[in-house]
Structures are given as structure tokens and as C-alpha cells.
Amino acid sequence: MTIQWFPGHMTKARRQIEEKLKLIDVVIELLDARIPLSSRNPMVDEILKGKPRLVLLNKNDLADPQVTADWVKYFADQGLPALPIDAATGTHVKEILPRVKQLWAHKIERQLSKGINPRAVRALIVGIPNVGKSTLINQLAGKKIAATGDKPGVTKGQQWIKVGTEMDLLDTPGILWPKFEDQMVGMRLAATGAIKEELLHLDEIALFVVKYMVQNYGAGIQERFGVQDLPEDLDDIQEMVKVMEAIGRKRGAIVSGGKVDLDKASLIIIRELRAGKMGRISLEKPLDKR
Ligand code: GDP
């Protein structure tokens, strides 16, 4: 479910996270591995105020593994440990606890040196809508507890979920808003399903996807859709539309008269991308122009 973010919602969401932060030791920041920076809240550093933080690159099953490796290095260079995971299948989810404990190890050692029995590390998951927060909470809890869907403003009683004996996780995540001001960011969010596509034109999103794929995953398009010649000039919109038409034709998106139904072709392109049917594709690289 996608929220329409208004300034009032953002203020409220921020206040809710700040309330939760008082209770916790370590923040788990969930990003979409396909678009890590575009799925990141623009004010996250300021909001989290220096709490120890683990970055998780979720939906890595859909992302290009080579690009994800570049992102892990990108975050490491900024002093942020990052771990690629698939919350839906649980892949690498078991590595979260040791990583979180590492971030809190200095406190545990201090407690031990004072003769205090260390308590479980308290963690909070934060991220924009649809990034997989509820899925991850359920996966860590080992059962279905987190309500999927986001409503800033709806507060439930805070509960702790025990992840083994060494980590307590807040059962409701911190919901952050994405960046909106940049059109490319909006395209990436829409292409991956993080924001409602009604907010943008389907054909615009599909055109963005096709252009990115022609540039970075040309062979994938050629193989999957049998498109022979890919445009060399990435800014030649007519040539890109021809690629979209070829894809539509291949998938039978034809209107009477034999013309390709571009809206239908756009929907097919976006659906197949989101389902991972075109292969593992990342839509943002550390070196992409912003
Ligand atoms: P939230 O809004 O952040 O709580 O996101 P949800 O947990 O509701 O997940 C949003 C969508 O992403 C759901 O359809 C999930 O099934 C899907 N999802 C979550 N994690 C993964 C993942 O690792 N891989 C894939 N392919 N889909 C995922």
C-alpha cells in the first residue's frame, strides 16, 4: 500500500520514529537493492542521529548481483556495513543478528567489564513503504505478525519480538518517505513498485526501463523479446519506442489494425521487470549520474 505523503505526514512519521529511537540500540535501514539511493529517505542521517546502523539491501533476488556488490562497497566506504538479503525467502536473513551484535559489541563489552549481565540488543527496522519491512519482521520473528501496509498516524502498542535470546526487535517498523523532487528517482521508485504508478504515466516508466535496459542489459532484451537491433543513441525516443513496440508485438499487445497497444506493452514491460522475468536487473548504480 502506498501512502500519499504530505508535509504533515512526514512530520508525524518522523516524530514516530524519534519516539521509537529512544527505545533502541541499533537501526536496521532497509533499502531496495535495485535502487538503494532512490529508495532511501533523504533525511535519514539527520533522523537517525548517529545511532549504530546496519544497511540491508533487500529484494536482492531481483537485483544484479554485480551491481549489488558495488553498492556494498559504496556503503562500506561511507562507514556503513551493508548486507544484501531477500526478506521474502529469508536468504541471508540469519546474518543480520551477528551483524547487529557487532555494531553493539562495544556496549556489551563495557557492560561485561562492569560485571553487568548484558541485555539483548534492541533493534528497529526503518524504510520507505513497500521496501519489505513487514516481510522482514515476519521472517525474523519466524511467524506472521507484522501487519503489511502502512499508515502513518496509526500507532499500535509497541511490542518486542525476540530474535533468539540476543536481539529484541520492535514489532512495528519506522516508516520513512522517499525522495520525490528528482524525476529520475520518481521513475526508479515507480518502476520497482515503490510508488503508485497512477502518479506517473505507464508509458513514461516503461520508456525509462527500456532505455536503462538497452544501456545496461541489452543482451537480456534481445534474448527475451527477440529484438534484433537496439538503438545506439539512448536519447532517440522514437527508436526506444520501436523497442517497446517490438516487445509489445512479441507479447501480443496488438490493437485492431495490427498496431501495438503501447499502454499494454508498457504494463507488460513493468510487470515482467518487477517479477524478475527479464533477469536480475538493477536500475541504479553507484556511479549513475544524479
Ligand atoms: P513494507 O511496506 O516495507 O512493510 O513492505 P512489505 O513487507 O509489505 O513488502 C512489499 C512487497 O515486497 C510485498 O509484495 C513482498 O512480498 C515483497 N517483498 C518483500 N521482500 C522481498 C524480497 O526479498 N524479494 C522479493 N522479490 N519481494 C519481496
Side-chain angles (χ1 to χ4, degrees), residues 1 30 34 57-62 85-91 125 127-138 146-150 173 175 192-193 274-276:
M1 220 187 304
L30 204 53
R34 297 165 294 174
L57 302 171
N58 191 35
K59 309 195 186 184
N60 191 43
D61 53 315
L62 298 173
I85 63 158
D86 314 338
T89 58
T91 308
I125 292 173
I128 66 168
N130 272 316
V131 74
K133 298 179 298 299
S134 308
T135 309
L136 178 61
I137 291 174
N138 285 327
T148 23
D150 304 292
I175 300 163
T192 53
R274 287 184 189 166

PDB file of all heavy atoms in Angstrom, residues 1 30 34 57-62 85-91 125 127-138 146-150 173 175 192-193 274-276, ligand 1:
ATOM      1  N   MET A   1       0.850  -1.197   0.000  1.00  0.00           N
ATOM      2  CA  MET A   1       0.000   0.000   0.000  1.00  0.00           C
ATOM      3  C   MET A   1       0.886   1.248   0.000  1.00  0.00           C
ATOM      4  O   MET A   1       1.882   1.294   0.696  1.00  0.00           O
ATOM      5  CB  MET A   1      -0.855  -0.013   1.255  1.00  0.00           C
ATOM      6  CG  MET A   1      -2.258   0.462   0.989  1.00  0.00           C
ATOM      7  SD  MET A   1      -3.148   0.623   2.518  1.00  0.00           S
ATOM      8  CE  MET A   1      -2.990  -1.014   3.214  1.00  0.00           C
ATOM      9  N   LEU A  30      16.409  -0.471   5.848  1.00  0.00           N
ATOM     10  CA  LEU A  30      16.081  -1.347   4.726  1.00  0.00           C
ATOM     11  C   LEU A  30      15.981  -0.529   3.435  1.00  0.00           C
ATOM     12  O   LEU A  30      15.218   0.437   3.368  1.00  0.00           O
ATOM     13  CB  LEU A  30      14.742  -2.025   5.038  1.00  0.00           C
ATOM     14  CG  LEU A  30      14.415  -3.349   4.377  1.00  0.00           C
ATOM     15  CD1 LEU A  30      15.516  -4.369   4.590  1.00  0.00           C
ATOM     16  CD2 LEU A  30      13.095  -3.903   4.905  1.00  0.00           C
ATOM     17  N   ARG A  34      17.783  -2.869  -5.758  1.00  0.00           N
ATOM     18  CA  ARG A  34      17.794  -2.447  -7.166  1.00  0.00           C
ATOM     19  C   ARG A  34      17.991  -0.946  -7.311  1.00  0.00           C
ATOM     20  O   ARG A  34      18.437  -0.464  -8.353  1.00  0.00           O
ATOM     21  CB  ARG A  34      16.473  -2.844  -7.844  1.00  0.00           C
ATOM     22  CG  ARG A  34      16.253  -4.342  -7.900  1.00  0.00           C
ATOM     23  CD  ARG A  34      14.807  -4.653  -8.243  1.00  0.00           C
ATOM     24  NE  ARG A  34      13.895  -4.224  -7.180  1.00  0.00           N
ATOM     25  CZ  ARG A  34      12.569  -4.272  -7.271  1.00  0.00           C
ATOM     26  NH1 ARG A  34      12.015  -4.704  -8.384  1.00  0.00           N
ATOM     27  NH2 ARG A  34      11.815  -3.890  -6.261  1.00  0.00           N
ATOM     28  N   LEU A  57      20.216  -4.455   1.926  1.00  0.00           N
ATOM     29  CA  LEU A  57      19.806  -4.264   0.531  1.00  0.00           C
ATOM     30  C   LEU A  57      18.832  -5.394   0.203  1.00  0.00           C
ATOM     31  O   LEU A  57      19.235  -6.513  -0.109  1.00  0.00           O
ATOM     32  CB  LEU A  57      21.034  -4.283  -0.378  1.00  0.00           C
ATOM     33  CG  LEU A  57      22.080  -3.211  -0.026  1.00  0.00           C
ATOM     34  CD1 LEU A  57      23.368  -3.414  -0.809  1.00  0.00           C
ATOM     35  CD2 LEU A  57      21.513  -1.814  -0.295  1.00  0.00           C
ATOM     36  N   ASN A  58      17.545  -5.100   0.329  1.00  0.00           N
ATOM     37  CA  ASN A  58      16.521  -6.145   0.208  1.00  0.00           C
ATOM     38  C   ASN A  58      16.089  -6.352  -1.248  1.00  0.00           C
ATOM     39  O   ASN A  58      16.348  -5.526  -2.104  1.00  0.00           O
ATOM     40  CB  ASN A  58      15.303  -5.761   1.073  1.00  0.00           C
ATOM     41  CG  ASN A  58      14.335  -6.914   1.203  1.00  0.00           C
ATOM     42  OD1 ASN A  58      14.740  -8.073   1.255  1.00  0.00           O
ATOM     43  ND2 ASN A  58      13.044  -6.623   1.222  1.00  0.00           N
ATOM     44  N   LYS A  59      15.389  -7.446  -1.463  1.00  0.00           N
ATOM     45  CA  LYS A  59      14.939  -7.856  -2.807  1.00  0.00           C
ATOM     46  C   LYS A  59      16.141  -8.090  -3.718  1.00  0.00           C
ATOM     47  O   LYS A  59      16.098  -7.829  -4.918  1.00  0.00           O
ATOM     48  CB  LYS A  59      13.970  -6.830  -3.420  1.00  0.00           C
ATOM     49  CG  LYS A  59      12.819  -6.456  -2.480  1.00  0.00           C
ATOM     50  CD  LYS A  59      11.688  -5.750  -3.172  1.00  0.00           C
ATOM     51  CE  LYS A  59      10.661  -5.281  -2.142  1.00  0.00           C
ATOM     52  NZ  LYS A  59       9.479  -4.662  -2.721  1.00  0.00           N
ATOM     53  N   ASN A  60      17.224  -8.544  -3.102  1.00  0.00           N
ATOM     54  CA  ASN A  60      18.423  -8.801  -3.886  1.00  0.00           C
ATOM     55  C   ASN A  60      18.207  -9.929  -4.887  1.00  0.00           C
ATOM     56  O   ASN A  60      18.966 -10.065  -5.845  1.00  0.00           O
ATOM     57  CB  ASN A  60      19.598  -9.107  -2.953  1.00  0.00           C
ATOM     58  CG  ASN A  60      20.909  -9.128  -3.698  1.00  0.00           C
ATOM     59  OD1 ASN A  60      21.153  -8.257  -4.536  1.00  0.00           O
ATOM     60  ND2 ASN A  60      21.740 -10.115  -3.436  1.00  0.00           N
ATOM     61  N   ASP A  61      17.164 -10.726  -4.691  1.00  0.00           N
ATOM     62  CA  ASP A  61      16.835 -11.768  -5.677  1.00  0.00           C
ATOM     63  C   ASP A  61      16.489 -11.145  -7.030  1.00  0.00           C
ATOM     64  O   ASP A  61      16.620 -11.796  -8.060  1.00  0.00           O
ATOM     65  CB  ASP A  61      15.661 -12.637  -5.184  1.00  0.00           C
ATOM     66  CG  ASP A  61      14.442 -11.818  -4.782  1.00  0.00           C
ATOM     67  OD1 ASP A  61      14.608 -10.801  -4.079  1.00  0.00           O
ATOM     68  OD2 ASP A  61      13.315 -12.179  -5.179  1.00  0.00           O
ATOM     69  N   LEU A  62      16.043  -9.880  -7.010  1.00  0.00           N
ATOM     70  CA  LEU A  62      15.665  -9.209  -8.261  1.00  0.00           C
ATOM     71  C   LEU A  62      16.795  -8.325  -8.801  1.00  0.00           C
ATOM     72  O   LEU A  62      16.723  -7.844  -9.928  1.00  0.00           O
ATOM     73  CB  LEU A  62      14.416  -8.337  -8.030  1.00  0.00           C
ATOM     74  CG  LEU A  62      13.149  -9.084  -7.593  1.00  0.00           C
ATOM     75  CD1 LEU A  62      12.051  -8.087  -7.227  1.00  0.00           C
ATOM     76  CD2 LEU A  62      12.661 -10.018  -8.697  1.00  0.00           C
ATOM     77  N   ILE A  85      20.081  -9.023   1.153  1.00  0.00           N
ATOM     78  CA  ILE A  85      19.197 -10.102   1.619  1.00  0.00           C
ATOM     79  C   ILE A  85      17.967 -10.230   0.706  1.00  0.00           C
ATOM     80  O   ILE A  85      17.690  -9.336  -0.094  1.00  0.00           O
ATOM     81  CB  ILE A  85      18.665  -9.860   3.064  1.00  0.00           C
ATOM     82  CG1 ILE A  85      17.804  -8.585   3.128  1.00  0.00           C
ATOM     83  CG2 ILE A  85      19.770  -9.806   4.089  1.00  0.00           C
ATOM     84  CD1 ILE A  85      16.836  -8.553   4.298  1.00  0.00           C
ATOM     85  N   ASP A  86      17.245 -11.345   0.863  1.00  0.00           N
ATOM     86  CA  ASP A  86      15.880 -11.447   0.310  1.00  0.00           C
ATOM     87  C   ASP A  86      14.992 -11.738   1.512  1.00  0.00           C
ATOM     88  O   ASP A  86      15.008 -12.864   2.016  1.00  0.00           O
ATOM     89  CB  ASP A  86      15.695 -12.628  -0.652  1.00  0.00           C
ATOM     90  CG  ASP A  86      16.806 -12.764  -1.674  1.00  0.00           C
ATOM     91  OD1 ASP A  86      17.490 -11.764  -1.945  1.00  0.00           O
ATOM     92  OD2 ASP A  86      16.969 -13.872  -2.198  1.00  0.00           O
ATOM     93  N   ALA A  87      14.246 -10.751   1.925  1.00  0.00           N
ATOM     94  CA  ALA A  87      13.382 -10.944   3.099  1.00  0.00           C
ATOM     95  C   ALA A  87      12.308 -11.981   2.805  1.00  0.00           C
ATOM     96  O   ALA A  87      11.901 -12.744   3.678  1.00  0.00           O
ATOM     97  CB  ALA A  87      12.748  -9.629   3.514  1.00  0.00           C
ATOM     98  N   ALA A  88      11.841 -12.018   1.550  1.00  0.00           N
ATOM     99  CA  ALA A  88      10.720 -12.894   1.209  1.00  0.00           C
ATOM    100  C   ALA A  88      11.086 -14.375   1.371  1.00  0.00           C
ATOM    101  O   ALA A  88      10.288 -15.158   1.869  1.00  0.00           O
ATOM    102  CB  ALA A  88      10.230 -12.599  -0.203  1.00  0.00           C
ATOM    103  N   THR A  89      12.305 -14.730   0.954  1.00  0.00           N
ATOM    104  CA  THR A  89      12.696 -16.140   1.066  1.00  0.00           C
ATOM    105  C   THR A  89      13.538 -16.390   2.314  1.00  0.00           C
ATOM    106  O   THR A  89      13.774 -17.542   2.682  1.00  0.00           O
ATOM    107  CB  THR A  89      13.538 -16.576  -0.156  1.00  0.00           C
ATOM    108  OG1 THR A  89      14.681 -15.713  -0.223  1.00  0.00           O
ATOM    109  CG2 THR A  89      12.758 -16.491  -1.445  1.00  0.00           C
ATOM    110  N   GLY A  90      14.039 -15.329   2.920  1.00  0.00           N
ATOM    111  CA  GLY A  90      14.866 -15.481   4.117  1.00  0.00           C
ATOM    112  C   GLY A  90      16.348 -15.622   3.811  1.00  0.00           C
ATOM    113  O   GLY A  90      17.154 -15.834   4.723  1.00  0.00           O
ATOM    114  N   THR A  91      16.713 -15.474   2.542  1.00  0.00           N
ATOM    115  CA  THR A  91      18.121 -15.619   2.177  1.00  0.00           C
ATOM    116  C   THR A  91      18.981 -14.553   2.864  1.00  0.00           C
ATOM    117  O   THR A  91      18.685 -13.360   2.749  1.00  0.00           O
ATOM    118  CB  THR A  91      18.289 -15.532   0.632  1.00  0.00           C
ATOM    119  OG1 THR A  91      17.394 -16.454   0.040  1.00  0.00           O
ATOM    120  CG2 THR A  91      19.712 -15.823   0.206  1.00  0.00           C
ATOM    121  N   ILE A 125      13.560  -1.622  12.619  1.00  0.00           N
ATOM    122  CA  ILE A 125      13.681  -1.616  11.161  1.00  0.00           C
ATOM    123  C   ILE A 125      13.039  -0.334  10.631  1.00  0.00           C
ATOM    124  O   ILE A 125      11.916   0.007  11.034  1.00  0.00           O
ATOM    125  CB  ILE A 125      12.973  -2.849  10.561  1.00  0.00           C
ATOM    126  CG1 ILE A 125      13.746  -4.111  10.959  1.00  0.00           C
ATOM    127  CG2 ILE A 125      12.864  -2.744   9.035  1.00  0.00           C
ATOM    128  CD1 ILE A 125      13.067  -5.404  10.574  1.00  0.00           C
ATOM    129  N   GLY A 127      12.377   2.141   6.922  1.00  0.00           N
ATOM    130  CA  GLY A 127      12.464   2.164   5.460  1.00  0.00           C
ATOM    131  C   GLY A 127      11.200   2.739   4.850  1.00  0.00           C
ATOM    132  O   GLY A 127      10.191   2.921   5.536  1.00  0.00           O
ATOM    133  N   ILE A 128      11.267   3.012   3.550  1.00  0.00           N
ATOM    134  CA  ILE A 128      10.117   3.580   2.849  1.00  0.00           C
ATOM    135  C   ILE A 128       9.056   2.474   2.616  1.00  0.00           C
ATOM    136  O   ILE A 128       9.378   1.288   2.727  1.00  0.00           O
ATOM    137  CB  ILE A 128      10.526   4.239   1.501  1.00  0.00           C
ATOM    138  CG1 ILE A 128      11.050   3.195   0.498  1.00  0.00           C
ATOM    139  CG2 ILE A 128      11.562   5.346   1.728  1.00  0.00           C
ATOM    140  CD1 ILE A 128      11.185   3.732  -0.919  1.00  0.00           C
ATOM    141  N   PRO A 129       7.838   2.851   2.309  1.00  0.00           N
ATOM    142  CA  PRO A 129       6.805   1.835   2.045  1.00  0.00           C
ATOM    143  C   PRO A 129       7.218   0.874   0.930  1.00  0.00           C
ATOM    144  O   PRO A 129       7.903   1.271  -0.015  1.00  0.00           O
ATOM    145  CB  PRO A 129       5.597   2.673   1.599  1.00  0.00           C
ATOM    146  CG  PRO A 129       5.782   3.991   2.269  1.00  0.00           C
ATOM    147  CD  PRO A 129       7.273   4.220   2.273  1.00  0.00           C
ATOM    148  N   ASN A 130       6.803  -0.373   1.095  1.00  0.00           N
ATOM    149  CA  ASN A 130       6.997  -1.424   0.090  1.00  0.00           C
ATOM    150  C   ASN A 130       8.410  -1.961  -0.045  1.00  0.00           C
ATOM    151  O   ASN A 130       8.686  -2.760  -0.946  1.00  0.00           O
ATOM    152  CB  ASN A 130       6.545  -0.960  -1.302  1.00  0.00           C
ATOM    153  CG  ASN A 130       5.084  -1.250  -1.492  1.00  0.00           C
ATOM    154  OD1 ASN A 130       4.625  -2.330  -1.142  1.00  0.00           O
ATOM    155  ND2 ASN A 130       4.344  -0.283  -1.991  1.00  0.00           N
ATOM    156  N   VAL A 131       9.295  -1.532   0.813  1.00  0.00           N
ATOM    157  CA  VAL A 131      10.680  -1.992   0.689  1.00  0.00           C
ATOM    158  C   VAL A 131      10.852  -3.390   1.307  1.00  0.00           C
ATOM    159  O   VAL A 131      11.854  -4.056   1.080  1.00  0.00           O
ATOM    160  CB  VAL A 131      11.639  -0.932   1.293  1.00  0.00           C
ATOM    161  CG1 VAL A 131      11.581  -0.923   2.810  1.00  0.00           C
ATOM    162  CG2 VAL A 131      13.050  -1.107   0.791  1.00  0.00           C
ATOM    163  N   GLY A 132       9.823  -3.823   2.065  1.00  0.00           N
ATOM    164  CA  GLY A 132       9.860  -5.186   2.617  1.00  0.00           C
ATOM    165  C   GLY A 132       9.995  -5.240   4.139  1.00  0.00           C
ATOM    166  O   GLY A 132      10.372  -6.282   4.681  1.00  0.00           O
ATOM    167  N   LYS A 133       9.646  -4.162   4.813  1.00  0.00           N
ATOM    168  CA  LYS A 133       9.810  -4.109   6.277  1.00  0.00           C
ATOM    169  C   LYS A 133       8.982  -5.186   6.989  1.00  0.00           C
ATOM    170  O   LYS A 133       9.498  -5.918   7.828  1.00  0.00           O
ATOM    171  CB  LYS A 133       9.390  -2.718   6.812  1.00  0.00           C
ATOM    172  CG  LYS A 133      10.240  -1.577   6.275  1.00  0.00           C
ATOM    173  CD  LYS A 133       9.781  -0.228   6.805  1.00  0.00           C
ATOM    174  CE  LYS A 133       8.378   0.176   6.418  1.00  0.00           C
ATOM    175  NZ  LYS A 133       8.162   0.302   4.952  1.00  0.00           N
ATOM    176  N   SER A 134       7.704  -5.271   6.649  1.00  0.00           N
ATOM    177  CA  SER A 134       6.836  -6.251   7.322  1.00  0.00           C
ATOM    178  C   SER A 134       7.280  -7.674   7.003  1.00  0.00           C
ATOM    179  O   SER A 134       7.268  -8.547   7.871  1.00  0.00           O
ATOM    180  CB  SER A 134       5.385  -6.073   6.879  1.00  0.00           C
ATOM    181  OG  SER A 134       5.005  -4.741   7.044  1.00  0.00           O
ATOM    182  N   THR A 135       7.648  -7.883   5.747  1.00  0.00           N
ATOM    183  CA  THR A 135       8.121  -9.215   5.340  1.00  0.00           C
ATOM    184  C   THR A 135       9.340  -9.611   6.169  1.00  0.00           C
ATOM    185  O   THR A 135       9.442 -10.747   6.644  1.00  0.00           O
ATOM    186  CB  THR A 135       8.487  -9.201   3.834  1.00  0.00           C
ATOM    187  OG1 THR A 135       7.386  -8.663   3.103  1.00  0.00           O
ATOM    188  CG2 THR A 135       8.824 -10.585   3.326  1.00  0.00           C
ATOM    189  N   LEU A 136      10.247  -8.672   6.373  1.00  0.00           N
ATOM    190  CA  LEU A 136      11.459  -8.967   7.144  1.00  0.00           C
ATOM    191  C   LEU A 136      11.128  -9.209   8.615  1.00  0.00           C
ATOM    192  O   LEU A 136      11.690 -10.127   9.231  1.00  0.00           O
ATOM    193  CB  LEU A 136      12.470  -7.821   7.000  1.00  0.00           C
ATOM    194  CG  LEU A 136      13.753  -8.020   7.801  1.00  0.00           C
ATOM    195  CD1 LEU A 136      14.502  -9.283   7.361  1.00  0.00           C
ATOM    196  CD2 LEU A 136      14.671  -6.806   7.684  1.00  0.00           C
ATOM    197  N   ILE A 137      10.236  -8.397   9.164  1.00  0.00           N
ATOM    198  CA  ILE A 137       9.861  -8.592  10.576  1.00  0.00           C
ATOM    199  C   ILE A 137       9.277  -9.997  10.747  1.00  0.00           C
ATOM    200  O   ILE A 137       9.651 -10.727  11.665  1.00  0.00           O
ATOM    201  CB  ILE A 137       8.866  -7.498  11.043  1.00  0.00           C
ATOM    202  CG1 ILE A 137       9.584  -6.144  11.098  1.00  0.00           C
ATOM    203  CG2 ILE A 137       8.286  -7.844  12.422  1.00  0.00           C
ATOM    204  CD1 ILE A 137       8.684  -4.960  11.400  1.00  0.00           C
ATOM    205  N   ASN A 138       8.401 -10.379   9.839  1.00  0.00           N
ATOM    206  CA  ASN A 138       7.818 -11.728   9.914  1.00  0.00           C
ATOM    207  C   ASN A 138       8.889 -12.807   9.791  1.00  0.00           C
ATOM    208  O   ASN A 138       8.858 -13.808  10.497  1.00  0.00           O
ATOM    209  CB  ASN A 138       6.782 -11.915   8.806  1.00  0.00           C
ATOM    210  CG  ASN A 138       5.501 -11.176   9.113  1.00  0.00           C
ATOM    211  OD1 ASN A 138       5.111 -11.051  10.270  1.00  0.00           O
ATOM    212  ND2 ASN A 138       4.866 -10.640   8.091  1.00  0.00           N
ATOM    213  N   ALA A 146       3.639  -9.070  11.664  1.00  0.00           N
ATOM    214  CA  ALA A 146       3.578  -7.657  11.291  1.00  0.00           C
ATOM    215  C   ALA A 146       2.462  -7.433  10.283  1.00  0.00           C
ATOM    216  O   ALA A 146       2.309  -8.180   9.340  1.00  0.00           O
ATOM    217  CB  ALA A 146       4.908  -7.224  10.698  1.00  0.00           C
ATOM    218  N   ALA A 147       1.655  -6.427  10.526  1.00  0.00           N
ATOM    219  CA  ALA A 147       0.601  -6.083   9.583  1.00  0.00           C
ATOM    220  C   ALA A 147       1.251  -5.463   8.363  1.00  0.00           C
ATOM    221  O   ALA A 147       2.039  -4.528   8.488  1.00  0.00           O
ATOM    222  CB  ALA A 147      -0.358  -5.105  10.226  1.00  0.00           C
ATOM    223  N   THR A 148       0.944  -5.978   7.187  1.00  0.00           N
ATOM    224  CA  THR A 148       1.503  -5.340   5.996  1.00  0.00           C
ATOM    225  C   THR A 148       0.630  -4.140   5.664  1.00  0.00           C
ATOM    226  O   THR A 148      -0.559  -4.118   5.940  1.00  0.00           O
ATOM    227  CB  THR A 148       1.570  -6.308   4.790  1.00  0.00           C
ATOM    228  OG1 THR A 148       0.606  -7.323   5.006  1.00  0.00           O
ATOM    229  CG2 THR A 148       2.923  -6.938   4.657  1.00  0.00           C
ATOM    230  N   GLY A 149       1.239  -3.169   5.087  1.00  0.00           N
ATOM    231  CA  GLY A 149       0.527  -1.924   4.822  1.00  0.00           C
ATOM    232  C   GLY A 149       0.987  -0.875   5.801  1.00  0.00           C
ATOM    233  O   GLY A 149       1.409  -1.185   6.897  1.00  0.00           O
ATOM    234  N   ASP A 150       0.937   0.363   5.359  1.00  0.00           N
ATOM    235  CA  ASP A 150       1.488   1.437   6.163  1.00  0.00           C
ATOM    236  C   ASP A 150       0.459   2.517   6.392  1.00  0.00           C
ATOM    237  O   ASP A 150      -0.197   2.954   5.485  1.00  0.00           O
ATOM    238  CB  ASP A 150       2.667   2.079   5.438  1.00  0.00           C
ATOM    239  CG  ASP A 150       3.715   1.052   5.101  1.00  0.00           C
ATOM    240  OD1 ASP A 150       4.317   0.554   6.029  1.00  0.00           O
ATOM    241  OD2 ASP A 150       3.875   0.757   3.910  1.00  0.00           O
ATOM    242  N   PRO A 173       7.644  -1.266  12.268  1.00  0.00           N
ATOM    243  CA  PRO A 173       8.812  -0.601  11.699  1.00  0.00           C
ATOM    244  C   PRO A 173       8.658   0.924  11.716  1.00  0.00           C
ATOM    245  O   PRO A 173       7.571   1.434  11.951  1.00  0.00           O
ATOM    246  CB  PRO A 173       8.820  -1.114  10.258  1.00  0.00           C
ATOM    247  CG  PRO A 173       7.393  -1.405   9.939  1.00  0.00           C
ATOM    248  CD  PRO A 173       6.761  -1.842  11.236  1.00  0.00           C
ATOM    249  N   ILE A 175       8.426   4.042   9.488  1.00  0.00           N
ATOM    250  CA  ILE A 175       8.099   4.277   8.078  1.00  0.00           C
ATOM    251  C   ILE A 175       8.639   5.638   7.640  1.00  0.00           C
ATOM    252  O   ILE A 175       8.305   6.663   8.219  1.00  0.00           O
ATOM    253  CB  ILE A 175       6.577   4.212   7.854  1.00  0.00           C
ATOM    254  CG1 ILE A 175       6.060   2.832   8.261  1.00  0.00           C
ATOM    255  CG2 ILE A 175       6.237   4.486   6.389  1.00  0.00           C
ATOM    256  CD1 ILE A 175       4.563   2.785   8.460  1.00  0.00           C
ATOM    257  N   THR A 192       9.983   0.076  -9.816  1.00  0.00           N
ATOM    258  CA  THR A 192      10.125  -1.045  -8.885  1.00  0.00           C
ATOM    259  C   THR A 192       8.863  -1.278  -8.060  1.00  0.00           C
ATOM    260  O   THR A 192       8.796  -2.230  -7.284  1.00  0.00           O
ATOM    261  CB  THR A 192      11.296  -0.799  -7.909  1.00  0.00           C
ATOM    262  OG1 THR A 192      11.104   0.484  -7.300  1.00  0.00           O
ATOM    263  CG2 THR A 192      12.635  -0.835  -8.606  1.00  0.00           C
ATOM    264  N   GLY A 193       7.885  -0.397  -8.191  1.00  0.00           N
ATOM    265  CA  GLY A 193       6.628  -0.595  -7.472  1.00  0.00           C
ATOM    266  C   GLY A 193       6.570   0.075  -6.113  1.00  0.00           C
ATOM    267  O   GLY A 193       5.690  -0.221  -5.314  1.00  0.00           O
ATOM    268  N   ARG A 274       9.299  -6.282 -12.674  1.00  0.00           N
ATOM    269  CA  ARG A 274       9.062  -6.439 -11.233  1.00  0.00           C
ATOM    270  C   ARG A 274       9.055  -7.897 -10.799  1.00  0.00           C
ATOM    271  O   ARG A 274       9.409  -8.215  -9.672  1.00  0.00           O
ATOM    272  CB  ARG A 274       7.717  -5.807 -10.859  1.00  0.00           C
ATOM    273  CG  ARG A 274       7.778  -4.301 -10.873  1.00  0.00           C
ATOM    274  CD  ARG A 274       6.465  -3.756 -10.407  1.00  0.00           C
ATOM    275  NE  ARG A 274       6.400  -2.324 -10.588  1.00  0.00           N
ATOM    276  CZ  ARG A 274       5.284  -1.631 -10.519  1.00  0.00           C
ATOM    277  NH1 ARG A 274       4.144  -2.230 -10.266  1.00  0.00           N
ATOM    278  NH2 ARG A 274       5.308  -0.323 -10.690  1.00  0.00           N
ATOM    279  N   ALA A 275       8.639  -8.774 -11.706  1.00  0.00           N
ATOM    280  CA  ALA A 275       8.588 -10.198 -11.355  1.00  0.00           C
ATOM    281  C   ALA A 275       9.949 -10.874 -11.575  1.00  0.00           C
ATOM    282  O   ALA A 275      10.098 -12.057 -11.330  1.00  0.00           O
ATOM    283  CB  ALA A 275       7.512 -10.887 -12.178  1.00  0.00           C
ATOM    284  N   GLY A 276      10.916 -10.102 -12.056  1.00  0.00           N
ATOM    285  CA  GLY A 276      12.245 -10.662 -12.276  1.00  0.00           C
ATOM    286  C   GLY A 276      12.333 -11.511 -13.531  1.00  0.00           C
ATOM    287  O   GLY A 276      13.275 -12.267 -13.716  1.00  0.00           O
TER     288      GLY A 276
HETATM  289  P1  GDP B   1       6.664  -2.767   3.708  1.00  0.00           P
HETATM  290  O1  GDP B   1       5.649  -1.813   3.181  1.00  0.00           O
HETATM  291  O2  GDP B   1       8.032  -2.163   3.756  1.00  0.00           O
HETATM  292  O3  GDP B   1       6.288  -3.416   5.003  1.00  0.00           O
HETATM  293  O4  GDP B   1       6.789  -3.923   2.609  1.00  0.00           O
HETATM  294  P2  GDP B   1       6.142  -5.394   2.592  1.00  0.00           P
HETATM  295  O5  GDP B   1       6.810  -6.266   3.596  1.00  0.00           O
HETATM  296  O6  GDP B   1       4.657  -5.256   2.669  1.00  0.00           O
HETATM  297  O7  GDP B   1       6.599  -5.892   1.152  1.00  0.00           O
HETATM  298  C1  GDP B   1       6.219  -5.227  -0.035  1.00  0.00           C
HETATM  299  C2  GDP B   1       6.243  -6.220  -1.188  1.00  0.00           C
HETATM  300  O8  GDP B   1       7.579  -6.628  -1.459  1.00  0.00           O
HETATM  301  C3  GDP B   1       5.459  -7.491  -0.899  1.00  0.00           C
HETATM  302  O9  GDP B   1       4.765  -7.862  -2.081  1.00  0.00           O
HETATM  303  C4  GDP B   1       6.542  -8.502  -0.568  1.00  0.00           C
HETATM  304  O10 GDP B   1       6.164  -9.817  -0.877  1.00  0.00           O
HETATM  305  C5  GDP B   1       7.669  -8.043  -1.472  1.00  0.00           C
HETATM  306  N1  GDP B   1       8.992  -8.435  -0.957  1.00  0.00           N
HETATM  307  C6  GDP B   1       9.480  -8.250   0.285  1.00  0.00           C
HETATM  308  N2  GDP B   1      10.731  -8.742   0.381  1.00  0.00           N
HETATM  309  C7  GDP B   1      11.059  -9.243  -0.832  1.00  0.00           C
HETATM  310  C8  GDP B   1      12.236  -9.880  -1.382  1.00  0.00           C
HETATM  311  O11 GDP B   1      13.255 -10.098  -0.726  1.00  0.00           O
HETATM  312  N3  GDP B   1      12.157 -10.228  -2.703  1.00  0.00           N
HETATM  313  C9  GDP B   1      11.077 -10.010  -3.461  1.00  0.00           C
HETATM  314  N4  GDP B   1      11.120 -10.387  -4.730  1.00  0.00           N
HETATM  315  N5  GDP B   1       9.958  -9.431  -2.985  1.00  0.00           N
HETATM  316  C10 GDP B   1       9.945  -9.045  -1.690  1.00  0.00           C
END
